[in-house]
Amino acid sequence: MTSSAIPSKKTLAGLAPPPLKPASFLAILRSTKGNPFEIIPLQAYEEPIYLSKWLLGAVLMVNDPEGIRRVLLDNVANYPKEDLGDQFFSAMFGEGLLSAPGPKWRTHRKVMAPSFGTRTVESYAPAMVETTIDFAERWDALPDFAEIDIAAEMKALTLKIICRTMFSSDAEELAAHAGEALEFAQASMEFGLLDILPLIGPRRLQAKQDAIRAHFKSIDAAIYRLIGEREKIRHEAPKDFLTRLVAAKNPDDGVGLNATEVRDEVITIFMAGHETTAVTMTWVWYLLSQHPAEEAELHKELDTVLAGRIPTVEDLPNLPYTKMVIEESMRIYPPAPGISLREAKEADEVCGFKVTPGLQIMVSPWILHRHRRLWEDPVRFDPTRFSKESSEKRPRFAYLPFGGGPRVCIGATLAMTEAILILAVLAQRFRVRLKEGEEVTLQTRITLRPRNGMMTILERRKPAAAADRQRAAELSHE
């Protein structure tokens, strides 16, 4: 092991103890450049609810599983999403599942559900594995102990995978446009003092939305062209996501989606899907690099179950620890640390608190996943928290990596399948170590990511069974 591969003993990025007191107005504004969830005070991590008050009003943070169930499920109609978040999502995604109003969302969800069923997801697995193997071969061509930005690498890999599963052979054209458009949209999420001023703020917001739409024009044109082509060759078209969506019908009335609706849903899944899996895998590698015992346990499972061979979807039930590593990584670093703000329509009661009409409600996986009442030693990386026995005892709304309630992420199964297969392919052949002296800071731009990338050292490894076979062959020739 090189000196650059020694695990750090410092506090993990973003996991310093929360402040004891609420942040000042200026501190809140400054925090928008990084990860604003880190300035939320300790009380929010200890109490079922926490009322945050600042110049623009009050926000009720609900951090109790039953309270969250009340907001996201049992009385969900009383807590619609607030307008600002939907305005930004609609600038990027049109009226896809992330931003569609209730009636349209329900119709689209029903139409799209078969495209995310278990059998359909399994049909995407070979393309996921093949793309990851190609990526591993590119890593193999690098010199020993090569430096790589693992955040950029995972984004490139997941972009290739989602292009392959969504668009088959048409993927390369879209991949060139997608990364730049998403980067611009995320950069536009940074807010300052001018953005909240009464007269200037709305105009700045509109300018940002217009700029986002302009950056999506090239990818929009490519998608509309592909939609038209798929409609012409419907019976001969590849069985990818785009083909399924073009052909999908509402089971109630037999009506499908028009071209604009298909575009909106494709953009939503395409952009949100690859980004969330990319950041998840980035934090998986980071946490493994800092926890050699857990990494060794992962390698042991992969070597025992796979013995150096390529994983298939049939192997997933036999890789429970691999899955637990990913689940625990999403607990510590949730891909989306904040669920869209809700605004109460009518009076209600949540965890004994009298909710008044107009009050904003926040549910934050960042807080929930490290809440003192729900998790023992919450900043410790411990994949065994997600053993079958432990998970069955946990309240349903204590863990929300994919949101919760009716609007829970439709692509959750797809994302987990992809993440497990990526880790199973790459962790058999490589270790990823944080570069010595690398400072990792967090940034929230819809998703939670390392602010300046993450420079790491790539090390090769041989699966135990493969290494044993090689050694046996060498001994037989001595």
Side-chain angles (χ1 to χ4, degrees):
M1 182 181 291
T2 67
S3 61
S4 58
I6 298 174
S8 169
K9 298 298 182 183
K10 296 190 299 183
T11 300
L12 292 173
L15 298 190
L20 297 178
K21 296 181 179 180
S24 67
F25 176 71
L26 290 178
I28 292 172
L29 286 180
R30 286 195 298 268
S31 74
T32 63
K33 297 181 181 297
N35 176 35
F37 295 97
E38 292 178 54
I39 67 168
I40 294 173
L42 177 63
Q43 186 180 349
Y45 299 85
E46 297 180 333
E47 301 295 336
I49 56 171
Y50 173 73
L51 187 64
S52 174
K53 298 180 180 179
W54 68 308
L55 291 180
L56 297 184
V59 176
L60 182 68
M61 301 179 185
V62 183
N63 311 312
D64 172 80
E66 286 307 307
I68 293 171
R69 171 187 282 274
R70 177 71 182 171
V71 172
L72 297 185
L73 183 62
D74 294 344
N75 197 22
V76 64
N78 191 51
Y79 297 99
K81 294 193 292 182
E82 56 86 32
D83 292 337
L84 181 59
D86 275 354
Q87 288 172 15
F88 264 95
F89 281 134
S90 63
M92 290 182 276
F93 308 133
E95 289 193 342
L97 288 181
L98 283 176
S99 53
K104 190 170 190 175
W105 172 85
R106 283 187 286 274
T107 298
H108 284 209
R109 181 93 181 195
K110 191 176 295 185
V111 171
M112 295 172 65
S115 296
F116 292 92
T118 301
R119 289 188 178 181
T120 304
V121 169
E122 290 176 352
S123 74
Y124 298 143
M128 295 175 180
V129 172
E130 290 168 15
T131 306
T132 307
I133 291 171
D134 290 344
F135 204 81
E137 290 175 355
R138 186 173 71 79
W139 276 7
D140 262 331
L142 297 173
D144 290 341
F145 307 116
E147 290 187 14
I148 59 171
D149 180 348
I150 194 63
E153 293 289 302
M154 289 298 99
K155 185 172 289 189
L157 173 56
T158 58
L159 184 59
K160 287 179 180 294
I161 288 174
I162 204 160
C163 282
R164 179 95 176 265
T165 55
M166 292 186 73
F167 305 110
S168 300
S169 59
D170 300 312
E172 293 304 319
E173 175 188 359
L174 291 165
H177 301 300
E180 190 273 339
L182 183 60
E183 280 298 316
F184 181 85
Q186 289 181 312
S188 300
M189 299 296 287
E190 187 170 304
F191 294 95
L193 180 60
L194 294 177
D195 293 295
I196 62 174
L197 294 179
L199 295 178
I200 299 175
R203 283 184 286 179
R204 287 175 59 87
L205 176 62
Q206 186 62 53
K208 289 183 179 184
Q209 292 170 354
D210 292 343
I212 290 171
R213 291 187 178 94
H215 270 74
F216 274 78
K217 283 184 177 179
S218 58
I219 193 171
D220 285 350
I223 289 176
Y224 280 125
R225 180 178 59 75
L226 291 176
I227 292 171
E229 291 175 355
R230 295 299 171 86
E231 289 175 338
K232 293 177 183 177
I233 59 167
R234 184 167 296 185
H235 298 296
E236 293 80 28
K239 296 298 182 183
D240 54 21
F241 178 81
L242 181 58
T243 297
R244 287 185 170 93
L245 202 56
V246 168
K249 305 293 183 185
N250 187 331
D252 295 336
D253 56 19
V255 176
L257 304 180
N258 62 39
T260 300
E261 291 171 330
V262 171
R263 174 268 176 205
D264 291 350
E265 299 301 356
V266 164
I267 286 286
T268 299
I269 301 301
F270 184 71
M271 304 300 277
H274 97 271
E275 170 75 9
T276 52
T277 306
V279 296
T280 294
M281 292 309 304
T282 299
W283 296 119
V284 166
W285 293 117
Y286 171 67
L287 288 164
L288 289 173
S289 77
Q290 304 302 292
H291 298 86
E294 288 74 14
E295 182 189 54
E297 189 66 25
L298 170 69
H299 289 157
K300 178 182 176 182
E301 177 175 272
L302 294 175
D303 294 349
T304 300
V305 175
L306 300 175
R309 66 175 173 80
I310 295 169
T312 67
V313 73
E314 287 76 19
D315 292 309
L316 297 186
N318 300 318
L319 296 172
Y321 193 80
T322 306
K323 182 183 180 185
M324 287 190 283
V325 165
I326 294 166
E327 290 175 316
E328 173 70 343
S329 298
M330 291 193 295
R331 182 190 69 82
I332 294 178
Y333 296 113
I339 297 174
S340 298
L341 282 173
R342 267 57 177 174
E343 188 172 298
K345 291 170 61 178
E346 299 176 359
D348 193 21
E349 184 173 313
V350 176
C351 298
F353 184 90
K354 301 296 184 181
V355 173
T356 55
L359 180 64
Q360 289 192 322
I361 311 292
M362 185 175 81
V363 175
S364 168
W366 174 273
I367 301 172
L368 185 69
H369 291 183
R370 44 181 56 75
H371 200 277
R372 273 59 169 172
R373 294 190 178 192
L374 301 173
W375 307 92
E376 182 180 352
D377 195 3
V379 298
R380 179 168 56 91
F381 177 63
D382 179 11
T384 62
R385 297 180 201 270
F386 290 91
S387 66
K388 182 179 179 182
E389 297 76 16
S390 296
S391 295
E392 288 176 348
K393 297 175 184 176
R394 187 174 301 120
R396 164 65 187 88
F397 286 85
Y399 179 64
L400 300 175
F402 299 107
R407 287 187 181 250
V408 66
C409 176
I410 196 173
T413 300
L414 179 68
M416 282 302 300
T417 300
E418 180 182 353
I420 294 170
L421 290 173
I422 289 173
L423 189 58
V425 170
L426 295 181
Q428 286 193 89
R429 298 167 62 170
F430 303 97
R431 288 186 176 92
V432 174
R433 294 284 179 259
L434 192 68
K435 182 182 177 182
E436 186 175 10
E438 177 76 354
E439 292 292 334
V440 179
T441 57
L442 308 187
Q443 184 179 57
T444 298
R445 293 291 179 271
I446 305 175
T447 57
L448 181 71
R449 56 185 183 170
R451 183 172 185 175
N452 300 307
M454 188 185 296
M455 294 308 299
T456 57
I457 306 299
L458 189 64
E459 297 180 358
R460 290 177 175 82
R461 72 174 295 268
K462 289 183 178 178
D468 292 345
R469 287 196 297 270
Q470 179 176 329
R471 181 57 181 157
E474 292 170 350
L475 290 173
S476 67
H477 289 90
E478 290 181 358

